[in-house]
Amino acid sequence: MGHPVLRTEDPGMLTGATRYLDDVVVDDALSAVFVRSITAHALLGEIEVAGALKQPGVVGVFTAQDLDLPGLTSTWVDEVFARPPLAKGTVRFAGEAVAVVIAETAAHAMDAAGHVFVDYDFLPSVTDPVAAASDSAPLLFREAGTNVAIDDDYGSERLDFDDAEIVVRARFVNQRLAPVPMETNGCIAIPNAEGLTLWLPCQAPNTVRDDLAKLMDMDQASVRVRAPAIGGGFGAKIPFYPEHLVIAELARRLGRTIKWIETRSENMVAMTHGRGQVQDVALAARQDGTITGLKVDVVDDAGAYPGDSAELPELTWKMSTGVYRIPKVEFRTRYVATNTTPTYAYRGAGRPEAATMVERIVDMLAAEIGMDPTEVRRRNLIGKDEFPYRTATGEVYDVGDYERVLNDGLVIAGYDDLRADQARRRAEIGTPQLGIGISCYVEMTGWGAEFASVDVNDDGTATVLTGTASTGQGHATAWAQLVTATLGIPIESIHVVQSDTAVIPRGEGTMGSRSLQAGGVAIADAAEAVYEKAVQLAGHLLEVAPHDLVRADDGFAVAGAPDRGLTWAELASSAQDARALPSGMSPGLRAESDFKIAGHTFPFGAHLAVVEVDIETGAVKLLRHIAVDDCGRILNPMIVEGQVHGGIGQGVAQALFEEVVYDEVGNPLTGSLMTYTMPSAAEFPSFETVRTETPTPLNHLGAKGIGESGTVGSTGAVLNAVVDALAHLGVRHIDMPLTPQRVWAALREARAS
């Protein structure tokens, strides 16, 4: 515990030995290619497939009418918004699947797809969620009578700011993003005598198994879902996609294995997008900077099929007070259908939207009253002696020390020197301007229960089963660390098994920064149970009291008599013999655990960004990014460091580079990596990261989540830094991404006013 152990997964990845989905070879497999809508909104006329069927290698071409599969529904919204696996009657976004070609090879299928012709009767489209929420907007679902799938105020009180000393108001756009994982979507469906095996790059195999079995009217035991190595998920690989259902049904119907691998251009329009909120915000405060209330009206872009992402605005509401003592909150959300790719969770899932919102409006309050942004924050931070703290939205923060991480960040950055440099630059004509941005954040992590088991084998090795599903986080290393910490079995002798429903009986998967505090605690509990059984067995066999035993390198020895002992291999072998066991002990050195999380944990931190802005061109350069994060007790500092770096990278990317853009009729303008600006490491400085440890009392490891914290904390810091660099020139706010053109336009507008 607490040691920077190198990841055991990495050698296979670095040498190319690790198998991803497309590396899974199944003999005699057919290939699938989806024909996708070229328009954002239209009635479907005739789909001509005769020409495609004549192409070499084609086995079949299928439409919604051929398959008659059930629609994908959500408990969050009315069934009227259900999504058909293949478009039926109407297409609602560019990229929606309308047909699928099955052929002997991927090349054959791709060629034949070009011979499928679709008759479209074009309809008006709407891509702006605010416009979509209006009564005059084109309707995506006429039978619904509205594009607003949810209109909720979460029971919040109505606030009247008429008597407030200061009210700061603004509209923020938290733009739509594409997840762009290294590995795209896909699946391999294999029919067999037992039922169906599905290989999927997914974050929750057991949940996908349950969904697939229900939709196909199959027994869960007859459906097996397996995930090979996964090249990134970021939330977009949690859901069960309609394409998965189509491929599974056709494999069952044709009695042949079918493989579908998404192209990158498909991925940009077919995989769920993230974010997509328009936030109207009002913050009330006193002249001394004390915040007295917050009003938020969010229009959340659901994309073409509302449902799966419906909980995201609720998460934004829950975390809307951030790290501050905000006594009253009024929050309304409208969750709206638009003619765009459906949205879903993306790293942070509703919490980065909240953190960026509250940190931006707090900076605007500081500017309004002429107070340093650090001082405004200090006056409103929840004190370390106030925990557990119940917020105005009903969340109970477990533990924190918000002022400490802010102070640490300011010291590391040399805040006073930065402000002096900023003042000097402002006095020099033509000099690139310096901006300093701060973001104090708290985020909500962990939920549900998780399964794990630990089994010591006859050769002295151990096998760990876990319901979590790594998408690159290093679970195999971390879970082995937990077992070796308790049992002493070397990490290289511990085999971690995950992401196979034939072996893992249950599990809720990897999302919401829950893995260590759910799956990890379950593994630690199971390992502790194995240890207790082993020490009882060793004492019985060695004829000594268990408390007279000490852990040896490969088992147990009698204290003071190291020559008298038993190895793990000997204990595991003896444990199989009922005659060798103490009375009442069951055979085998195995234990399992289902750990249920007692409540959400709340990691926190402070990020500080330093930028340089060229006021002639609008170009922004990130000079420094300091992150002070607290995720409770740390298991592997090296893995935590990697998670923080990746999170910061994605958060900065939102602030400066990335945005999904559609034209006025719903055509995607960022449908490839030629047009979607995804940064590389060359665009970032070396991040300066430190961590504090404030263990949570909600689990005995003291662990909180860390996988999304970097994203939650970084975006607002960079946004604030850029506006700070230009504030003296009259710039009040700029919406993300802060591209040179957008910054230049804001400067030009400020100069003209």
Side-chain angles (χ1 to χ4, degrees):
M1 294 289 292
H3 292 284
V5 176
L6 289 172
R7 293 179 9 145
T8 58
E9 299 94 332
D10 291 348
M13 295 179 181
L14 294 171
T15 60
T18 297
R19 286 197 314 170
Y20 295 86
L21 181 67
D22 202 21
D23 300 319
V24 177
V25 177
V26 182
D27 293 336
D28 199 31
L30 299 171
S31 290
V33 167
F34 285 91
V35 178
R36 298 187 179 276
S37 172
I38 61 169
T39 185
H41 201 196
L43 296 176
L44 274 177
E46 183 181 358
I47 302 176
E48 297 180 13
V49 302
L53 287 169
K54 295 177 182 178
Q55 300 307 305
V58 173
V59 173
V61 182
F62 303 89
T63 66
Q65 285 69 28
D66 300 315
L67 298 183
D68 194 29
L69 290 167
L72 278 65
T73 60
S74 167
T75 58
W76 290 89
V77 299
D78 193 284
E79 288 189 7
V80 73
F81 295 105
R83 179 177 181 177
L86 293 173
K88 192 172 184 178
T90 306
V91 293
R92 295 183 173 90
F93 70 97
E96 183 173 6
V98 299
V100 61
V101 178
I102 307 297
E104 296 293 341
T105 69
H108 284 135
M110 184 68 74
D111 288 343
H115 291 268
V116 176
F117 298 100
V118 183
D119 182 20
Y120 296 104
D121 184 3
F122 297 104
L123 296 170
S125 59
V126 58
T127 60
D128 183 329
V130 175
S134 70
D135 293 338
S136 59
L139 294 177
L140 274 74
F141 299 85
R142 291 186 179 278
E143 55 272 41
T146 179
N147 292 322
V148 180
I150 297 174
D151 188 340
D152 199 348
D153 63 4
Y154 305 107
S156 59
E157 59 183 306
R158 296 290 181 269
L159 301 185
D160 184 353
F161 286 170
D162 289 347
D163 296 330
E165 295 180 16
I166 296 288
V167 179
V168 184
R169 302 180 189 273
R171 169 171 283 190
F172 305 140
V173 177
N174 200 287
Q175 79 272 30
R176 175 184 282 250
L177 303 176
V180 199
M182 180 185 76
E183 176 195 37
T184 60
N185 205 347
C187 69
I188 302 172
I190 308 169
N192 49 52
E194 292 75 32
L196 191 67
T197 294
L198 215 65
W199 285 89
L200 284 175
C202 64
Q203 297 175 230
N206 288 76
T207 302
V208 168
R209 185 267 318 272
D210 297 347
D211 291 344
L212 180 64
K214 181 179 179 181
L215 288 164
M216 297 186 69
D217 196 24
M218 297 175 68
D219 187 86
Q220 287 184 4
S222 65
V223 178
R224 181 183 188 183
V225 173
R226 306 181 68 182
I230 298 173
F234 313 123
K237 290 182 182 174
I238 297 171
F240 179 72
Y241 282 83
E243 290 90 343
H244 299 157
L245 176 59
V246 170
I247 299 302
E249 171 60 24
L250 286 174
R252 181 171 68 169
R253 183 176 296 195
L254 298 175
R256 294 274 303 273
T257 295
I258 300 178
K259 184 176 187 177
W260 166 62
I261 302 295
E262 192 178 58
T263 65
R264 180 59 67 184
S265 58
E266 277 187 294
N267 176 262
M268 297 300 291
V269 296
M271 180 169 273
T272 57
H273 292 163
R275 309 289 188 257
Q277 286 188 0
V278 179
Q279 306 162 334
D280 286 303
V281 186
L283 187 72
R286 292 196 285 267
Q287 288 286 356
D288 66 358
T290 303
I291 298 170
T292 58
L294 175 68
K295 291 173 102 170
V296 182
D297 189 329
V298 170
V299 178
D300 196 272
D301 189 350
Y305 292 98
D308 285 341
S309 61
E311 66 179 312
L312 301 184
E314 181 177 349
L315 292 173
T316 302
W317 162 64
K318 288 180 176 181
M319 299 310 300
S320 59
T321 60
V323 294
Y324 305 112
R325 223 182 284 104
I326 301 179
K328 297 179 180 180
V329 174
E330 178 184 333
F331 195 103
R332 180 192 181 194
T333 183
R334 282 166 289 168
Y335 179 64
V336 181
T338 62
N339 292 115
T340 60
T341 298
T343 57
Y344 194 64
Y346 174 68
R347 198 169 192 166
R351 288 105 75 200
E353 294 91 316
T356 302
M357 173 190 74
V358 72
E359 288 304 292
R360 183 74 208 101
I361 200 71
V362 166
D363 251 35
M364 295 177 82
L365 170 63
E368 182 74 17
I369 62 177
M371 185 179 290
D372 189 284
T374 61
E375 182 58 29
V376 172
R377 285 170 169 81
R378 284 197 181 95
R379 294 188 181 198
N380 292 283
L381 287 174
I382 300 164
K384 67 177 181 179
D385 297 328
E386 297 180 66
F387 294 94
Y389 181 87
R390 181 177 292 276
T391 72
T393 62
E395 293 306 304
V396 179
Y397 294 173
D398 50 352
V399 66
D401 192 346
Y402 301 156
E403 188 164 8
R404 177 189 174 186
V405 292
L406 172 60
N407 289 339
D408 286 355
L410 296 174
V411 170
I412 294 166
Y415 185 73
D416 291 340
D417 291 340
L418 288 172
R419 286 297 181 196
D421 187 16
Q422 181 184 62
R424 178 187 60 79
R425 291 183 184 223
R426 288 180 173 179
E428 297 177 3
I429 298 175
T431 302
Q433 295 300 295
L434 195 72
I436 305 115
I438 299 162
S439 174
C440 296
Y441 77 90
V442 58
E443 75 137 330
M444 177 172 61
T445 67
W447 51 267
E450 198 51 83
F451 163 81
S453 70
V454 175
D455 194 345
V456 180
N457 307 310
D458 289 352
D459 59 359
T461 62
T463 300
V464 177
L465 305 185
T466 174
T468 61
S470 177
T471 59
Q473 294 92 339
H475 288 177
T477 304
W479 298 169
Q481 280 186 259
L482 289 167
V483 174
T484 197
T486 299
L487 303 184
I489 297 174
I491 285 179
E492 59 270 19
S493 297
I494 300 170
H495 179 49
V496 177
V497 181
Q498 58 187 332
S499 302
D500 184 348
T501 62
V503 181
I504 311 298
R506 54 196 173 274
E508 298 191 41
T510 294
M511 62 204 76
S513 300
R514 67 186 296 273
S515 295
L516 178 57
Q517 58 191 302
V521 173
I523 289 167
D525 287 347
E528 185 62 35
V530 168
Y531 179 90
E532 292 300 325
K533 186 172 185 178
V535 77
Q536 292 293 330
L537 177 59
H540 175 73
L541 295 174
L542 294 170
E543 298 181 329
V544 298
H547 63 260
D548 289 329
L549 295 172
V550 294
R551 201 177 73 180
D553 289 341
D554 58 353
F556 294 92
V558 177
D563 56 322
R564 291 188 63 208
L566 291 167
T567 66
W568 280 109
E570 291 169 332
L571 285 168
S573 180
S574 297
Q576 302 302 321
D577 184 357
R579 297 168 299 177
L581 300 177
S583 176
M585 182 176 286
S586 60
L589 278 184
R590 182 183 186 277
E592 63 179 50
S593 171
D594 287 278
F595 177 76
K596 183 173 177 58
I597 293 178
H600 297 300
T601 59
F602 293 87
F604 59 93
H607 286 216
L608 191 147
V610 183
V611 302
E612 192 174 71
V613 181
D614 187 324
I615 60 173
E616 298 303 322
T617 66
V620 176
K621 182 178 181 180
L622 181 62
L623 301 178
R624 297 175 67 189
H625 193 97
I626 298 99
V628 184
D629 299 294
D630 193 309
C631 60
R633 190 179 180 200
I634 293 173
L635 171 59
N636 186 322
M638 188 174 295
I639 289 178
V640 169
E641 183 79 1
Q643 289 294 305
V644 170
H645 274 241
I648 294 172
Q650 286 181 273
V652 173
Q654 177 174 8
L656 297 181
F657 302 104
E658 296 186 27
E659 182 180 26
V660 171
V661 180
Y662 292 88
D663 69 12
E664 64 279 1
V665 294
N667 294 313
L669 301 181
T670 48
S672 76
L673 294 181
M674 293 290 289
T675 51
Y676 186 84
T677 310
M678 186 178 168
S680 70
E683 279 70 55
F684 301 135
S686 293
F687 302 140
E688 302 167 56
T689 60
V690 296
R691 272 161 292 286
T692 60
E693 291 191 56
T694 310
T696 179
L698 298 181
N699 64 72
H700 59 78
L701 293 182
K704 304 181 181 184
I706 190 60
E708 296 161 294
S709 292
T711 307
V712 176
S714 60
T715 305
V718 176
L719 172 56
N720 281 340
V722 174
V723 177
D724 178 67
L726 308 175
H728 66 296
L729 300 174
V731 174
R732 183 173 183 263
H733 177 71
I734 310 172
D735 277 323
M736 303 179 292
L738 302 167
T739 60
Q741 188 278 334
R742 193 166 284 181
V743 173
W744 178 83
L747 278 165
R748 187 175 183 182
E749 182 180 346
R751 287 166 176 163
S753 60

